[in-house]
Amino acid sequence: QGWIKSLSEIGKQRVATQQTLTLFLRVVKGVQVAASRTALTTAIAEGSDSLRYAIEGSYYLEIPSAPTQEFVDALLHAEKQWTKTRNHITNQLVKSDLSTIDVTKDVSYADVVAGEMDVIAQMYVQATMDKFPNLRIVVAEISWRQRILVEQMFKATLLVSLSKSVQTNTDAF
């Protein structure tokens, strides 16, 4: 049960990384700037909290700390990359003309964080499967649900790009 909560925090951090980048890009492109900035602040805080919980655990939330030194090392390295990403985005946002920002580094930094968090998630899944081999069906089910959600997002994105039900599909995000 505890590892499931740890894996959930890893998932939250992965989502927060994607949200942080997406919201930053929205601000740079001038899309709902005030709302995007507010949501960006929240996404950054949630990503930092989730990563901290994955490393240190939380007695109150019943999240165990990382199970081995290998996990701690991987999480600390991911935290270093997350901090680099977060700081770069924050520093970019203080520029007076956001339209001149080259987002290439920000995208690259976020991709590194996402990649590292994917590896850590796989470490948790593998450790869980080694310890509880009867949970394979649960993992398969979760994977399928995630795939379905990705497919739904892809469909909504295509519809928006084709100017079909733009408001409905934008709200779906």
Side-chain angles (χ1 to χ4, degrees):
Q1 172 93 9
W3 281 12
I4 292 172
K5 288 187 177 187
S6 295
L7 188 56
S8 176
E9 292 304 319
I10 298 298
K12 288 177 187 176
Q13 204 292 327
R14 292 159 77 189
V15 169
T17 297
Q18 295 305 315
Q19 287 178 331
T20 297
L21 182 60
T22 301
L23 292 163
F24 173 66
L25 294 175
R26 287 176 61 168
V27 170
V28 169
K29 292 296 183 185
V31 177
Q32 299 175 332
V33 175
S36 295
R37 278 183 181 265
T38 301
L40 176 58
T41 301
T42 301
I44 288 172
E46 288 174 352
S48 298
D49 288 347
S50 290
L51 194 49
R52 185 174 45 82
Y53 291 145
I55 296 168
E56 300 172 4
S58 169
Y59 178 79
Y60 177 74
L61 298 174
E62 298 178 353
I63 302 169
S65 59
T68 67
Q69 190 61 46
E70 181 183 10
F71 282 84
V72 171
D73 292 345
L75 286 161
L76 288 174
H77 192 267
E79 181 183 43
K80 180 178 177 182
Q81 296 302 316
W82 168 249
T83 300
K84 184 177 180 180
T85 303
R86 182 189 68 212
N87 290 345
H88 195 266
I89 286 174
T90 303
N91 290 338
Q92 294 278 68
L93 289 173
V94 298
K95 293 184 176 180
S96 59
D97 185 6
L98 297 179
S99 66
T100 63
I101 292 176
D102 178 7
V103 298
T104 307
K105 279 187 182 180
D106 304 289
V107 171
S108 176
Y109 291 164
D111 285 348
V112 169
V113 174
E116 291 193 14
M117 296 309 291
D118 287 345
V119 169
I120 294 165
Q122 186 56 44
M123 290 169 62
Y124 269 100
V125 168
Q126 187 60 52
T128 302
M129 297 316 309
D130 291 346
K131 190 167 181 153
F132 305 105
N134 58 333
L135 291 180
R136 290 187 191 278
I137 192 70
V138 173
V139 172
E141 176 61 19
I142 291 169
S143 296
W144 278 108
R145 276 192 230 163
Q146 288 181 334
R147 181 168 182 198
I148 290 167
L149 291 173
V150 168
E151 293 294 322
Q152 289 172 343
M153 287 174 41
F154 181 72
K155 180 186 81 172
T157 303
L158 276 175
L159 291 171
V160 168
S161 72
L162 297 170
S163 299
K164 305 291 182 189
S165 304
V166 174
Q167 190 58 48
T168 303
N169 287 300
T170 301
D171 291 343
F173 291 114

